[in-house]
Amino acid sequence: MASTVEQRDGAVEHEMSTHQRGLVDTCLEEGQFESAIALLEQLRSPSYKPTISHIRQLIYIALQPEHPPSIHEIVIADVPSSPSKATLKKRIPSGTAVLAARRLLNSFAITNSPESIAAALPFYDDPRKNESVTQADDGLLESVIGPQSMCISRAKNCWSILAQGYTQRGQTFSVSSDNGKKRSYNLDENDSMNNFENAIVGDDAWSTLDWLILLFEQDEMLADSRGSGRFSSLLLQQIPPPRSGTGPRWDTEIPMRIIFFCMEQTDFRRQMLGSRLMTLLINLSATRHLDLSMFVGSLYSHLTAAGLEKLPALLSNLYPSTPAHRFKIMLCRKLLSDASRDQMRDVRTRVQARARALRATRTEEIINSQSPETSASAQTTRSPVLSYIEIIRCLEASASSSSMAVTQSILLRVKFELINSYGMLQSEMAPAERDSDWTSILQDGKANQLIDTMFNGKSNNPDSRVFREVLQSTVPIWSS
């Protein structure tokens, strides 16, 4: 590994000295976690990066419960069968140490380069996973939690370590049951993430998710300041590469599950973690590294499975930006197109004979199942910016919604987001790049007429009235 790293301001980030590392290692060897963390805080500097092993152990401590189990409730598998209480106590971080580790990780994410801190995280195609022997200078041989913290490195990706009970795999817990007897519970290190589907983010992992997102956001800002584009290459490493080994990545299934898990939380701060992660993925989808069409398709699948009533909250919390506007246009277009197609299928089924309708439905299902692939292929060969004519076709196709599965409220919201995002996107483009038809209706004053038509100017529907008034007040911004 290189001994120096270029910092965000162009300064050079050096390795910590052997003496500095030794001081921290000594504390960790004795199980003095609070002292080790306090010492790392004192040594924290933009000029010196912490070691990979120290960050790894901080992550391990941060993932522990704030109220740790007593030594009577836990037995660690790789400790002798009758470990002393003193040995066990050394290996259980206190609640104070857990909170301090969480704070220090956030501080390191801001003080030091994202690349240096993220070096402790697992990622796809990480060549270090093939190393059978731990490096001698890794500081793990003597640390009382060093061996356990290696579960961080053995994970497939950074999302895996967030799962409920991940760091407790390989440990046996003794839990009291209702009848007073104790049952032992073992978590195997080889358990896959799918075994924790109901808690893809554990109760003690929310601060770590917050830290990961902060790290990706810092990486994104640094890349933007360097002129590389506003996206996080560290986040890209946490998305599986295509099996062919070439082309953009597209499998966002795990982060998408985390986003929707965040949206299910009652705590607004946790909901916002999902929005921040979605924003990072949207910015990544604006590059050649992540397939935008496949990303939209993945979100659409999760939305339809979880319920479209989650759509307003998802869209409202997104940071307004050019990539976000493009993303919203793609998503709303798909929602309106699919809703319109569902309606047409319902009408056709009612008017045709039963046998003939069955054949038609089967044929249509085959066509529909092929359409995402066709769309994805087309999307890679043309600009994702739709023309004004295409926008109008989408809106008109969904004008009659009485038989749609989509509720009237959701339909109005989708139409609002589509028109507003398109208007904002056009206003952010250079005059020569703007759609001529769109520019024409703004100059002719027909934009308000379009809005009246789409949101039924004579309707007393409160949602329709609010969306209509907001869009009409935004028209001057589009025209500027």
Side-chain angles (χ1 to χ4, degrees), residues 20 24 30 60 73 91 105 121 167 180 196 199 220 231 272 304-305 307 372 377 389 392 423 448 458:
Q20 290 172 327
V24 178
E30 297 297 324
Y60 179 84
E73 297 175 321
R91 304 180 73 163
L105 283 173
L121 292 173
T167 59
F196 296 88
E220 188 181 72
F231 73 96
M272 287 305 299
T304 53
S377 176
I389 299 300
I392 290 297
N448 284 328
K458 298 180 181 180

Side-chain angles (χ1 to χ4, degrees), residues 60-134:
Y60 179 84
I61 296 173
L63 287 168
Q64 304 310 304
E66 293 181 26
H67 304 287
S70 68
I71 58 176
H72 301 290
E73 297 175 321
I74 181 170
V75 175
I76 305 177
D78 59 354
V79 177
S81 58
S82 299
S84 68
K85 291 183 179 181
T87 301
L88 283 177
K89 190 174 181 180
K90 281 185 178 182
R91 304 180 73 163
I92 304 175
S94 67
T96 302
V98 170
L99 294 175
R102 294 172 181 176
R103 289 193 298 267
L104 183 55
L105 283 173
N106 286 333
S107 298
F108 274 132
I110 296 173
T111 303
N112 296 88
S113 65
E115 298 96 329
S116 297
I117 305 304
L121 292 173
F123 58 89
Y124 289 99
D125 294 339
D126 183 355
R128 297 172 300 179
K129 292 181 180 179
N130 297 325
E131 297 177 1
S132 57
V133 181
T134 304

Side-chain angles (χ1 to χ4, degrees), residues 229-472:
R230 193 173 183 84
F231 73 96
S232 171
S233 57
L234 298 179
L235 175 59
L236 182 65
Q237 291 178 340
Q238 302 300 333
I239 299 174
R243 294 177 181 177
S244 63
T246 59
R249 305 191 182 200
W250 56 269
D251 186 359
T252 56
E253 173 64 19
I254 298 178
M256 198 67 73
R257 284 167 54 193
I258 292 176
I259 289 170
F260 276 82
F261 188 72
C262 291
M263 292 176 61
E264 294 171 0
Q265 306 303 307
T266 56
D267 189 330
F268 180 71
R269 292 170 299 180
R270 294 182 177 182
Q271 294 176 13
M272 287 305 299
L273 291 178
S275 300
R276 289 166 60 194
L277 181 54
M278 175 62 75
T279 298
L280 286 163
L281 288 171
I282 288 173
N283 291 340
L284 189 56
S285 72
T287 71
R288 60 182 176 83
H289 304 295
L290 183 64
D291 190 299
L292 173 60
S293 181
M294 295 291 286
F295 175 55
V296 170
S298 177
L299 175 60
Y300 176 81
S301 298
H302 279 269
L303 271 174
T304 53
L308 289 177
E309 64 273 5
K310 296 185 180 295
L311 180 68
L314 177 69
L315 297 181
S316 296
N317 293 329
L318 292 180
Y319 181 79
S321 64
T322 297
H325 296 324
R326 290 174 181 264
F327 167 78
K328 286 183 179 181
I329 290 170
M330 293 284 290
L331 177 62
C332 292
R333 179 199 187 194
K334 182 168 183 58
L335 286 166
L336 293 177
S337 298
D338 284 14
S340 177
R341 184 168 61 238
D342 290 343
Q343 180 188 5
M344 293 176 63
R345 183 166 59 242
D346 290 342
V347 173
R348 186 183 301 114
T349 302
R350 286 196 300 268
V351 300
Q352 291 177 332
R354 180 173 300 178
R356 186 176 177 183
L358 179 60
R359 291 193 299 271
T361 302
R362 288 175 176 171
T363 302
E364 188 173 15
E365 287 175 350
I366 294 174
I367 295 173
N368 290 343
S369 67
Q370 296 173 344
S371 61
E373 182 178 353
T374 304
S375 176
S377 176
Q379 202 59 46
T380 59
T381 58
R382 63 172 182 165
S383 170
V385 181
L386 303 180
S387 69
Y388 168 69
I389 299 300
E390 290 174 297
I391 296 293
I392 290 297
R393 286 174 182 169
C394 254
L395 293 169
E396 289 179 344
S398 63
S400 176
S401 60
S402 59
S403 61
M404 287 187 189
V406 180
T407 64
Q408 180 73 7
S409 177
I410 295 297
L411 178 65
L412 288 172
R413 180 58 183 259
V414 173
K415 290 163 66 175
F416 165 79
E417 294 287 353
L418 177 60
I419 296 175
N420 185 58
S421 297
Y422 189 76
M424 295 303 298
L425 179 62
Q426 289 290 321
S427 67
E428 294 172 358
M429 298 172 67
E433 298 176 347
R434 296 175 184 173
D435 187 281
S436 58
D437 293 319
W438 175 256
T439 303
S440 178
I441 70 162
L442 291 177
Q443 294 175 344
D444 295 344
K446 294 181 179 179
N448 284 328
Q449 181 180 344
L450 168 67
I451 295 169
D452 269 333
T453 302
M454 292 298 113
F455 293 92
N456 194 357
K458 298 180 181 180
S459 172
N460 292 323
N461 184 300
D463 291 333
S464 182
R465 183 173 63 255
V466 169
F467 291 143
R468 183 172 67 250
E469 291 174 355
V470 170
L471 288 175
Q472 289 177 340

Side-chain angles (χ1 to χ4, degrees), residues 7-8 13-17 20-21 24 35-51 54-55 58 100-113 117 211 214 218:
Q7 254 287 21
R8 63 192 74 206
E13 192 178 35
H14 301 274
E15 299 275 7
M16 290 176 63
S17 69
Q20 290 172 327
R21 294 197 302 269
V24 178
S35 298
I37 295 169
L39 186 54
L40 281 171
E41 175 62 47
Q42 293 177 14
L43 296 173
R44 181 170 60 90
S45 166
S47 302
Y48 293 94
K49 59 182 179 179
T51 66
H54 290 163
I55 292 296
L58 282 177
R102 294 172 181 176
R103 289 193 298 267
L104 183 55
L105 283 173
N106 286 333
S107 298
F108 274 132
I110 296 173
T111 303
N112 296 88
S113 65
I117 305 304
W211 170 70
L214 173 62
Q218 293 293 312

